[in-house]
Amino acid sequence: MFPASRYSSKAHRCIRALKTVQAEHASPQLYTTLHRRTCSSGSAPRITTHYTIHPREKDPRWEGVEMERFADEADVVIVGGGPAGLSAAIRLKQLANKHEKELRVCLVEKASQIGAHTLSGACLEPSALSELFPDWKERGAPLNTPVTEDIFNILTEKHRIPVPMLPGLPMRNHGNYIVRLGNFVRWLGEQAEEIGVELYPGYAASEVLFHEDGSVKGIATNDVGIAKDGSPKDVFERGMELHAKVTIFGEGCHGHLAKQLYKQFNLRENCEPQTYAIGLKEVWTIDEKKWRPGRVEHSVGWPLNRNTYGGSFLYHLNEGEPLVALGFVVGLDYSNPYLSPFREFQRWKHHPFVAATLEGGNRIAYGARALNEGGFQSLPKLTFPGGLLIGCSPGFMNVPKIKGTHTAMKSGMLAAETIFPKLTAESPDSETAGLHVPEYAEALKKSWVWKELHAVRNIRPSFHNYFGLYGGMVYTGIFYWVFRGKEPWTLKHCGLDADQLKPAKDCTPIEYPKPDGKLSFDLLSSVALSGTNHEGDQPAHLTLKDDNIPVGRNLAIYDGPEQRFCPAGVYEYVPLDTGDGMRLQINAQNCVHCKTCDIKDPSQNINWVVPEGGGGPAYNGM
């Protein structure tokens, strides 16, 4: 993986081995009472064994274990091999080659292969790609399906209401391409390697490292060889450290390290809380007679009610066989704890307009991922001493367009363009050990990314009104289509998605139909299509700050919403062996790394951390 000539034998050994309760909705007295009713005597069974919750310094099993880490140096380290991270890496090397400068750029990616964890609709706007590679067609970029037809519908249970896609509306896709984003990211990885970027897939960045002055020093990859009970195995090896003058964080939506940086540097002090959605996706082969290459279909409405934000997509690919990509997006600010995004998705496929395309087809892939929906209002401070944030990590998605790849790529390119002159200056001007590049944020504010996100800033929060979906659509028609988002106000979001759930006693359970095995399917057979796999004998990377909270609060007050908002069957409430209560079971091997649990948990008790590198889904061109 790493160039052999640069590392010691110790490094080679290391490299080989590396393969508070929030109670706003219930009083303390109610919490105590409910905890007693739902738990058996004593505390809950031990669930979390991860060292981030149970420090190894206090565990006698770790006494005498070698904890030294090998460290390596680079000019720039990039965390995350998605469109943003790869674009930043490529642009840095383009500039270095142009100016004949030596620049070492290292990119680490937790997936076993570049693109293996990438999932998106996806309808790609090629603006940023054309800036990065004007000759992308000659280079063989996998943009094979230009959009030829644009359809938008409001669905009722049995019918559809067509909505004209007028020029200027954000969801109009003229000039865009339907892509399988995993394939596109894999191609970007090939371009990066060709230009001299060092790519290290299978290495999960687990920790931010700091200089003594508080600036970012780099990252450390996670330790491997830890047993499920948290004890060291015989093959235990520490992760390795990668130090850099600048570390770029492009982890994607709700990044594990970004969460640490927000707290460390108070980056969210002057912005709205981020709000999210969960997107679920399948790929089907269909009857060739129903195949319309280049056709893009979007819908809102049924099966969601007017106060639950969401919608669907169905894209006809042109890749040599009759393939369609279809998916369903649900805003994670929904209030009913009985809602299951996965089962809403399965129900949607039975709508006559959708079923007509899928009947007789064959489902071949499944996956899920959270996505940022806060937009302009929710952008944090982007720079700090020693590092910066790019892509979907801070949240550059254009929500009404349902597109974030082009903005993510552009943010990465701007990061590279502002970092490069500081890196190569003969006398670097930095007051900290880690290089600070505030010019990146300034460059973004002058770019088309900022203008685009500002124009659509009010569309998503406009849905928070009595009329819900329909009020939001009226607002969009008036203030975006007519005035192009130039209204002199900025609407606010409703707060953290985790705070929006109502107690189960105040909500009506949702009765979902059983899957028929033809159009709709059960959860576990779906997860099997994602290729998800983790080393079984490792601590669950879905960690709990307090093992008592799931039963004592989430089950007692919200009827265990983890069982429903997780799209992979990770969380189950099962009876205690004694038969006098329930316990939470975490099936960490099922995790598709969507981060929904970390976002939507009403107690904010779940903290998603990286598993051993290489674990997770194996999306094949999703």
Side-chain angles (χ1 to χ4, degrees):
M1 301 285 294
F2 289 78
S5 61
R6 295 182 180 171
Y7 304 99
S8 65
S9 60
K10 182 173 184 179
H12 281 296
R13 290 198 301 274
C14 175
I15 292 160
R16 284 197 298 269
L18 284 170
K19 281 288 174 208
T20 348
V21 181
Q22 292 182 349
E24 293 84 358
H25 301 290
S27 68
Q29 294 83 2
L30 176 59
Y31 172 85
T32 302
T33 302
L34 292 167
H35 181 268
R36 287 172 181 161
R37 288 179 187 169
T38 50
C39 280
S40 59
S41 60
S43 62
R46 178 107 174 231
I47 302 172
T48 303
T49 59
H50 202 275
Y51 67 88
T52 55
I53 303 297
H54 300 286
R56 293 180 287 209
E57 308 88 74
K58 300 179 180 179
D59 189 337
R61 298 174 299 179
W62 286 87
E63 289 182 7
V65 176
E66 173 60 53
M67 299 298 283
E68 183 183 356
R69 282 195 292 223
F70 166 75
D72 192 22
E73 298 280 345
D75 293 297
V76 180
V77 167
I78 300 173
V79 180
L86 288 165
S87 296
I90 291 167
R91 191 74 187 111
L92 278 167
K93 293 299 287 187
Q94 285 177 338
L95 290 167
N97 294 346
K98 177 181 178 181
H99 294 279
E100 299 182 341
K101 299 286 186 179
E102 284 292 326
L103 199 66
R104 187 177 179 208
V105 180
C106 296
L107 182 149
V108 295
E109 162 59 42
K110 64 183 173 62
S112 59
Q113 297 178 349
I114 297 295
H117 287 180
T118 301
L119 181 144
S120 182
C123 198
L124 178 70
E125 182 175 316
S127 51
L129 174 62
S130 295
E131 292 182 27
L132 186 64
F133 289 119
D135 60 342
W136 58 264
K137 290 183 180 179
E138 291 76 12
R139 287 173 173 265
L143 277 65
N144 305 313
T145 313
V147 174
T148 58
E149 189 179 3
D150 227 336
I151 295 172
F152 189 88
N153 296 299
I154 299 172
L155 300 184
T156 64
E157 187 171 355
K158 298 293 183 184
H159 303 284
R160 68 183 180 97
I161 304 169
V163 177
M165 291 302 295
L166 300 173
L169 284 175
M171 289 182 69
R172 184 176 165 89
N173 284 288
H174 178 76
N176 297 334
Y177 291 80
I178 304 169
V179 300
R180 298 168 73 176
L181 195 62
N183 291 344
F184 176 68
V185 167
R186 190 179 304 119
W187 176 83
L188 278 179
E190 293 167 358
Q191 309 310 303
E193 275 194 313
E194 195 174 287
I195 203 171
V197 179
E198 297 178 30
L199 301 181
Y200 302 119
Y203 292 81
S206 64
E207 182 183 347
V208 183
L209 305 175
F210 298 93
H211 291 286
E212 289 184 4
D213 67 356
S215 62
V216 170
K217 185 179 185 179
I219 57 95
T221 61
N222 61 340
D223 299 343
V224 298
I226 305 174
K228 199 167 187 175
D229 63 2
S231 64
K233 299 179 187 177
D234 292 339
V235 294
F236 169 77
E237 287 281 356
R238 283 284 265 164
M240 69 175 299
E241 297 185 3
L242 277 171
H243 302 165
K245 297 168 187 172
V246 182
T247 305
I248 301 175
F249 296 88
E251 302 168 279
C253 178
H254 206 65
H256 162 60
L257 298 184
K259 292 186 298 181
Q260 301 174 34
L261 293 165
Y262 291 149
K263 293 178 182 177
Q264 181 75 16
F265 296 105
N266 202 17
L267 301 178
R268 303 205 66 89
E269 180 180 19
N270 297 312
C271 68
E272 295 247 335
Q274 185 62 263
T275 185
Y276 302 87
I278 178 173
L280 305 107
K281 180 181 177 181
E282 294 175 352
V283 178
W284 286 57
T285 58
I286 61 169
D287 185 338
E288 194 163 354
K289 295 176 182 176
K290 304 174 182 179
W291 182 38
R292 303 290 183 270
R295 181 169 177 167
V296 166
E297 303 173 22
H298 290 103
S299 73
V300 295
W302 188 90
L304 301 177
N305 63 35
R306 73 173 191 272
N307 292 314
T308 303
Y309 186 87
S312 73
F313 64 87
L314 199 160
Y315 302 153
H316 293 246
L317 291 150
N318 187 14
E319 298 191 355
E321 58 179 325
L323 287 176
V324 293
L326 56 143
F328 201 78
V329 177
V330 179
L332 288 177
D333 55 355
Y334 66 83
S335 60
N336 188 341
Y338 291 109
L339 188 146
S340 165
F342 173 81
R343 298 184 77 175
E344 296 289 349
F345 177 29
Q346 300 306 310
R347 180 160 63 167
W348 165 78
K349 289 184 289 180
H350 284 274
H351 190 279
F353 183 66
V354 181
T357 298
L358 301 180
E359 284 171 346
N362 180 40
R363 186 178 68 149
I364 60 174
Y366 167 81
R369 187 71 172 95
L371 49 148
N372 305 86
E373 290 204 334
F376 184 81
Q377 296 91 316
S378 299
L379 289 175
K381 185 178 179 182
L382 299 167
T383 68
F384 40 89
L388 44 82
L389 302 169
I390 63 173
C392 287
S393 182
F396 288 116
M397 179 175 167
N398 184 323
V399 180
K401 272 190 178 182
I402 327 178
K403 291 175 184 62
T405 302
H406 65 302
T407 49
M409 291 179 67
K410 181 62 175 177
S411 72
M413 293 158 63
L414 289 170
E417 289 161 7
T418 49
I419 288 169
F420 181 76
K422 284 208 160 187
L423 278 176
T424 55
E426 291 186 10
S427 301
D429 182 20
S430 179
E431 296 177 358
T432 58
L435 207 56
H436 192 192
V437 191
E439 293 86 351
Y440 163 59
E442 294 305 313
L444 264 167
K445 290 176 183 178
K446 296 174 183 176
S447 73
W448 54 258
V449 173
W450 205 258
K451 181 179 179 181
E452 182 176 316
L453 294 184
H454 184 267
V456 300
R457 70 195 181 283
N458 288 328
I459 293 180
R460 175 66 175 91
S462 74
F463 284 74
H464 293 297
N465 64 81
Y466 175 79
F467 300 102
L469 166 70
Y470 307 109
M473 292 181 71
V474 170
Y475 184 97
T476 301
I478 295 174
F479 290 103
Y480 182 80
W481 191 63
V482 177
F483 296 111
R484 291 295 184 264
K486 294 180 180 178
E487 62 269 32
W489 60 80
T490 296
L491 302 178
K492 292 185 177 182
H493 298 296
C494 289
L496 289 175
D497 293 336
D499 295 339
Q500 307 310 312
L501 279 185
K502 295 178 180 178
K505 65 181 179 60
D506 298 332
C507 298
T508 303
I510 301 174
E511 295 295 328
Y512 290 104
K514 289 184 178 181
D516 66 357
K518 296 178 181 178
L519 294 179
S520 52
F521 303 88
D522 65 272
L523 194 54
L524 293 183
S525 68
S526 300
V527 176
L529 288 176
S530 70
T532 298
N533 186 50
H534 297 85
E535 161 60 43
D537 190 15
Q538 66 174 303
H541 63 283
L542 297 314
T543 69
L544 304 178
K545 298 172 187 175
D546 184 338
D547 285 354
N548 293 291
I549 296 301
V551 170
R553 189 169 191 269
N554 286 11
L555 182 61
I557 299 174
Y558 303 100
D559 201 17
E562 307 96 316
Q563 304 173 101
R564 293 177 286 276
F565 59 59
C566 173
V570 170
Y571 301 95
E572 288 184 278
Y573 283 96
V574 298
L576 288 167
D577 293 339
T578 56
D580 60 348
M582 303 291 284
R583 66 179 178 86
L584 178 67
Q585 177 172 296
I586 297 180
N587 307 308
Q589 284 179 282
N590 286 6
C591 179
V592 295
H593 298 197
C594 74
K595 314 289 182 68
T596 302
C597 57
D598 194 314
I599 296 164
K600 190 60 177 173
D601 175 15
S603 300
Q604 286 296 274
N605 186 49
I606 299 172
N607 183 40
W608 193 99
V609 301
V610 289
E612 288 191 4
Y619 296 138
N620 181 21
M622 287 284 276

